[in-house]
């Protein structure tokens, strides 16, 4: 099936690949939250939350991702994927592309909303809420304490005086996708192959031959543009255009800021060589600002 061009406002978007970009939230939800394919979601949760789980997840039930606030003044929460396993444990899964300074706090907030929603009305509820886990895929470098380069960072509750004592009530995992840079031929573990797919599937013409098994067969099948409905395709392309527009806006704002700095430096009498070194602007462009 040839790639379709989709008009979004005054622009036209043509997918560059056979496969959708899985960091796009609509493609991500299609790949891991399609009814009848819950096994895909359970497998992904097991891969990235293995060290947080007492037992592997056998199956999951996908839930409504919309969590309204208790009152009008409270903030609603809309998740990418919400699900629970047969033991009642709850899982929040998010794909975040746009950088957010306080994303870790946002993830904790959403976890708290999910816990609050699990409470049963009535005076006899004993606060025995289900274990709640938050799995977050980030397509940017987040602010996390410590100068560490781990691809996956885990946050949990533990006793300050006895760090070996941990509580399973809640756990958060942050998968920092830009830190994964392995070449496809070096992706031998299941986790590496899944990370590679999330980052690079949209650049491929076919599924890598050594990505074997039902999971990857189905993942690449779901990611094919030819298997998108017209509505799914329109939502996907609209989101990709919005991402491109935001990038262009940020680049324009950055360029304007640099030019403003160069103009101020000219007024202060700084040399062309010094301004070029500070702003990375070519000397010809700096001269034109006089």
């Amino acid at each position: 099936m040839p790639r379709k061009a989709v008009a979004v406002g005054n622009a036209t978007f043509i997918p560059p690949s056979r496969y959708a970009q899985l960091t796009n939230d609509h493609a991500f939800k299609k790949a891991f939250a399609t009814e009848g394919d819950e096994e895909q979601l359970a497998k992904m949760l097991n891969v990235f939350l293995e060290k947080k789980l007492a037992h592997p997840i056998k199956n999951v039930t996908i839930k409504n991702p919309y969590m309204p606030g208790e009152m009008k003044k409270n903030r609603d929460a809309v998740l990418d994927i919400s699900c629970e396993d047969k033991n009642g444990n709850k899982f929040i899964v998010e794909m975040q592309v746009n950088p957010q300074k306080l994303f870790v706090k946002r993830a904790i907030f959403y976890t708290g909303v999910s816990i609050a929603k699990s409470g049963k009305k009535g005076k006899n509820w004993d606060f025995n809420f289900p274990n709640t886990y938050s799995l977050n895929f980030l397509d940017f470098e987040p602010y996390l304490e410590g100068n560490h380069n781990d691809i996956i960072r885990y946050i949990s509750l533990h006793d300050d005086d006895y760090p070996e004592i941990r509580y399973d009530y809640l756990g958060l995992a942050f998968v920092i996708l830009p830190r994964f840079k392995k070449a496809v031929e070096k992706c031998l573990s299941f986790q590496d192959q899944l990370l590679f797919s999330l980052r690079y599937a949209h650049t491929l013409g076919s599924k890598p031959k050594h990505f074997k098994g039902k999971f990857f067969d189905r993942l690449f099948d779901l990611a094919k543009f030819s298997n998108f409905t017209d509505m799914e395709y329109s939502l996907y392309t609209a989101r990709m255009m919005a991402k491109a527009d935001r990038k262009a806006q940020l680049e324009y704002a950055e360029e304007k800021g640099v030019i403003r700095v160069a103009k101020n430096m000219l007024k202060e009498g700084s040399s062309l060589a010094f301004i070029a070194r500070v702003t990375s602007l070519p000397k010809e462009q700096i001269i034109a600002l006089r």
Side-chain angles (χ1 to χ4, degrees), residues 146-203:
N147 186 25
H148 305 291
N149 294 315
D150 307 67
I151 294 172
I152 308 175
R153 295 285 299 275
Y154 294 96
I155 296 176
S156 60
L157 291 174
H158 65 84
D159 188 302
D160 283 352
D161 293 323
Y162 306 97
E164 72 278 5
I165 300 176
R166 296 182 178 274
Y167 301 94
D168 295 330
Y169 310 146
L170 66 87
L172 299 97
F174 299 89
V175 183
I176 306 166
L177 294 174
R179 295 182 182 179
F180 183 82
K181 298 175 182 178
K182 280 190 179 182
V184 64
E185 63 272 11
K186 294 186 179 294
C187 295
L188 303 179
S189 71
F190 189 95
Q191 184 180 96
D192 282 352
Q193 291 174 0
L194 181 47
L195 284 167
F196 185 92
S197 301
L198 289 169
R199 283 211 72 188
Y200 302 116
H202 63 289
T203 69

Side-chain angles (χ1 to χ4, degrees), residues 116-130:
K117 289 295 177 186
S118 68
K120 298 179 177 62
K121 296 188 181 297
K123 62 181 181 180
N124 294 324
W125 187 55
D126 59 2
F127 294 96
N128 188 23
F129 58 82

Side-chain angles (χ1 to χ4, degrees), residues 19-38:
Y19 301 108
Q21 187 167 338
L22 292 174
T23 52
N24 176 293
D25 57 354
H26 292 293
F28 181 72
K29 285 183 275 192
K30 180 176 176 61
F32 297 104
T34 295
E35 187 176 351
D37 283 298
E38 290 84 357

Side-chain angles (χ1 to χ4, degrees), residues 1-289:
M1 176 181 175
R3 296 193 293 273
K4 300 176 287 186
V6 174
V8 182
N10 295 322
T12 301
F13 175 78
I14 302 177
S17 168
R18 181 183 184 189
Y19 301 108
Q21 187 167 338
L22 292 174
T23 52
N24 176 293
D25 57 354
H26 292 293
F28 181 72
K29 285 183 275 192
K30 180 176 176 61
F32 297 104
T34 295
E35 187 176 351
D37 283 298
E38 290 84 357
E39 187 177 342
Q40 297 289 110
L41 179 55
K43 184 73 172 178
M44 179 181 70
L45 291 171
N46 280 321
V47 168
F48 292 108
L49 295 177
E50 180 181 13
K51 67 183 294 182
K52 310 297 296 181
L53 301 171
H55 306 285
I57 302 166
K58 297 295 184 183
N59 50 63
V60 293
T61 303
I62 296 172
K63 298 293 186 180
N64 186 346
Y66 175 64
M67 297 189 297
E70 291 292 332
M71 302 172 65
K72 273 190 175 181
K73 65 180 180 180
N74 295 137
R75 190 186 192 283
D76 295 349
V78 183
L79 312 172
D80 282 338
I81 302 174
S82 176
C83 63
E84 66 178 52
D85 65 13
K86 66 177 183 179
N87 296 319
N89 297 316
K90 294 185 178 295
F91 301 89
I92 295 167
V93 186
E94 288 277 283
M95 172 62 75
Q96 182 68 22
V97 174
N98 296 326
Q100 286 194 11
K101 181 179 178 181
L102 300 177
F103 185 81
V104 173
K105 284 191 172 183
R106 171 183 139 157
I108 294 171
F109 173 82
Y110 280 3
T111 304
V113 172
S114 178
I115 290 172
K117 289 295 177 186
S118 68
K120 298 179 177 62
K121 296 188 181 297
K123 62 181 181 180
N124 294 324
W125 187 55
D126 59 2
F127 294 96
N128 188 23
F129 58 82
N131 291 354
T132 304
Y133 304 92
S134 174
L135 173 58
N136 304 275
F137 295 93
L138 310 181
D139 200 22
F140 61 92
E141 279 288 339
Y143 175 76
L144 287 167
E145 295 289 348
N147 186 25
H148 305 291
N149 294 315
D150 307 67
I151 294 172
I152 308 175
R153 295 285 299 275
Y154 294 96
I155 296 176
S156 60
L157 291 174
H158 65 84
D159 188 302
D160 283 352
D161 293 323
Y162 306 97
E164 72 278 5
I165 300 176
R166 296 182 178 274
Y167 301 94
D168 295 330
Y169 310 146
L170 66 87
L172 299 97
F174 299 89
V175 183
I176 306 166
L177 294 174
R179 295 182 182 179
F180 183 82
K181 298 175 182 178
K182 280 190 179 182
V184 64
E185 63 272 11
K186 294 186 179 294
C187 295
L188 303 179
S189 71
F190 189 95
Q191 184 180 96
D192 282 352
Q193 291 174 0
L194 181 47
L195 284 167
F196 185 92
S197 301
L198 289 169
R199 283 211 72 188
Y200 302 116
H202 63 289
T203 69
L204 305 177
S206 61
K207 177 177 72 69
K209 290 183 179 179
H210 64 290
F211 286 27
K212 297 180 179 179
K214 179 182 174 181
F215 177 90
F216 287 108
D217 288 345
R218 186 57 179 154
L219 177 61
F220 278 82
D221 194 47
L222 287 165
K224 280 183 184 176
F225 284 120
S226 58
N227 290 330
F228 277 45
T229 65
D230 288 343
M231 177 59 73
E232 289 171 341
Y233 194 85
S234 295
L235 290 171
Y236 173 86
T237 51
R239 186 54 59 89
M240 294 301 291
M241 285 300 299
K243 179 182 176 182
D245 286 344
R246 186 175 186 279
K247 183 172 182 284
Q249 290 167 0
L250 291 174
E251 289 175 348
Y252 176 74
E254 181 179 359
E255 182 181 353
K256 292 286 284 185
V258 169
I259 290 173
R260 191 179 302 114
V261 169
K263 284 182 176 180
N264 289 336
M265 294 178 74
L266 282 169
K267 289 179 182 178
E268 295 295 325
S270 298
S271 69
L272 290 178
F274 181 65
I275 297 173
R277 188 163 67 250
V278 170
T279 65
S280 297
L281 292 173
K283 289 183 179 180
E284 295 78 10
Q285 187 174 356
I286 298 170
I287 293 171
L289 297 175

